[in-house]
Amino acid sequence: MNFILAPKLCMLRTVLAVGQLPSEVGLNHYLLLSALLFAIGFFGVLLRRNTLVVYMCLELMLSASTLAAVAFSHFNGSMDGDIFVFFIITVAAAEVAVGLAIIVALFRLRRTVQLEELSALRH
Amino acid sequence: MAEFLFYLLAFLTVLAAAGVVVNRNSVNAGLSLLLCFVGIAALFVQLGAYFLAVLQVLVYAGAVAVLFLFIIMLIDVKGSDPRKPYKKVAAASGTLAAALLLTGVLSLVKHGQLAGAGPAMTVDVGGDLKDYGYLLFTKYLLPVQVTGFLLLIAMLGVAVLSRKHLEGSGTESQKAGNGKQEPGGIIQNPGAGSQNPGGGLRRREPSP
């Protein structure tokens, strides 16, 4: 019993030690996370075919960029980035309202929100 | 403890973000988006920006995600993506974007910490609401005014966009109804079915 559990415990301890090896979460961690979230949102914009989901992914990209701005502001000891994120959140709220109104108007006109079927400008 | 919390929150946020992209059901994607916004708010708390975390939860998770879910409930009848192969352009641009992103991340990892960005200098920065008010009304007074005006314009724009065009009430439809018929005519959207429940909205076909 013990010699079965011992390697696992040892492995767990190693994983924990490796996990704590970067002793402090720095700016790079947040930038990497922000880039990852931005990339996920970007691929969503590229790959999805529902206009609403594409718009959600755009919001995801915007949120990822605000995370990077807050991280920069925090690690530079300044408050300007926080203020800018405040403005970005305000503008994003207005933008979402207008964009969703446009999507609703589009749906009223064409009865669909699938991007493949919205090809009126392709000539 | 802070490192463990960061990794846990980052993992959850990335998982939720992947859920937005991967889920074929739009409602599930919207709920994943909500979870992702909450995760980002928790990361803001980790960064000491408490006011922004509250704002993120209130505005993004409370208003934006709920608005998305509301619109999905309102218009998304099919609710899912059809399984069709992607086009070559989309695949090529996706590959190119992945390569560019990988290059950027690798260069970031290779060059290590950015210059001049040590550990956090002030712990309580961004936490004081008084500082926000002071900065907003002194240094950033003009942006505050512009943002307020922008919100007003957005409100008016949404009201105009979501107005229902009744038949014969708007100037455009009057003009179209009085003028002579164009070669293409004014036909109803072919996919709309027999009746037009959208309140008399019609689409003009491009003349061939």
Side-chain angles (χ1 to χ4, degrees):
Chain A
M1 187 69 192
N2 198 11
F3 71 90
I4 295 174
L5 274 181
K8 291 185 181 175
L9 278 180
C10 185
M11 200 191 304
L12 184 66
R13 211 169 293 145
T14 315
V15 165
L16 280 181
V18 168
Q20 287 170 354
L21 204 144
S23 59
E24 192 177 352
V25 176
L27 178 59
N28 274 351
H29 293 77
Y30 284 97
L31 288 186
L32 280 177
L33 176 63
S34 170
L36 197 55
L37 287 176
F38 191 88
I40 290 172
F42 183 69
F43 283 114
V45 171
L46 275 182
L47 299 181
R48 294 305 298 263
R49 296 195 174 93
N50 193 333
T51 314
L52 281 165
V53 182
V54 167
Y55 203 53
M56 277 184 209
C57 294
L58 278 175
E59 287 306 310
L60 191 60
M61 289 162 75
L62 197 64
S63 246
S65 65
T66 59
L67 180 63
V70 172
F72 271 122
S73 169
H74 176 71
F75 285 102
N76 280 324
S78 130
M79 251 189 82
D80 291 336
D82 286 2
I83 300 276
F84 271 97
V85 171
F86 175 81
F87 286 123
I88 288 173
I89 287 176
T90 315
V91 172
E95 172 223 330
V96 165
V98 174
L100 284 177
I102 288 175
I103 290 178
V104 168
L106 189 70
F107 180 75
R108 274 210 221 140
L109 201 61
R110 306 291 302 269
R111 316 304 301 170
T112 181
V113 287
Q114 301 291 321
L115 282 177
E116 305 274 315
E117 302 168 29
L118 301 173
S119 58
L121 286 179
R122 188 193 294 162
H123 274 297
Chain B
M1 187 60 199
E3 298 87 32
F4 172 70
L5 214 53
F6 169 77
Y7 286 117
L8 182 69
L9 288 173
F11 178 69
L12 283 180
T13 311
V14 169
L15 209 64
V20 177
V21 177
V22 170
N23 263 322
R24 290 195 173 271
N25 192 346
S26 301
V27 178
N28 290 348
L31 289 174
S32 295
L33 186 74
L34 187 70
L35 191 62
C36 185
F37 284 155
V38 173
I40 289 177
L43 285 168
F44 282 175
V45 171
Q46 285 277 300
L47 282 170
Y50 303 113
F51 178 58
L52 286 179
V54 171
L55 216 58
Q56 175 91 5
V57 169
L58 280 183
V59 174
Y60 269 112
V64 170
V66 170
L67 198 61
F68 267 115
L69 287 173
F70 190 70
I71 299 294
I72 287 169
M73 186 199 73
L74 201 64
I75 70 175
D76 196 13
V77 274
K78 289 181 204 160
S80 62
D81 272 8
R83 277 182 196 277
K84 279 191 288 185
Y86 293 108
K87 287 185 182 160
K88 279 179 191 168
V89 182
S93 52
T95 315
L96 184 65
L100 279 176
L101 185 90
L102 199 65
T103 315
V105 166
L106 281 183
S107 75
L108 187 66
V109 169
K110 192 180 163 198
H111 293 294
Q113 202 82 14
L114 293 178
M121 283 173 241
T122 50
V123 184
D124 57 346
V125 73
D128 203 352
L129 212 51
K130 201 170 150 190
D131 293 339
Y132 272 97
Y134 183 74
L135 273 176
L136 281 180
F137 282 97
T138 52
K139 193 175 172 187
Y140 293 98
L141 185 58
L142 183 64
V144 168
Q145 306 266 349
V146 172
T147 310
F149 196 65
L150 181 82
L151 282 178
L152 175 70
I153 292 176
M155 196 176 69
L156 289 178
V158 169
V160 168
L161 272 176
S162 57
R163 188 184 46 163
K164 218 174 200 176
H165 292 275
L166 290 176
E167 197 136 8
S169 65
T171 53
E172 278 189 22
S173 54
Q174 262 181 2
K175 220 184 290 175
N178 292 338
K180 65 181 169 81
Q181 290 283 323
E182 294 186 13
I186 300 173
I187 66 162
Q188 213 151 359
N189 187 8
S194 54
Q195 79 274 17
N196 191 0
L201 266 177
R202 292 181 176 196
R203 184 167 67 99
R204 192 184 302 201
E205 280 287 302
S207 51

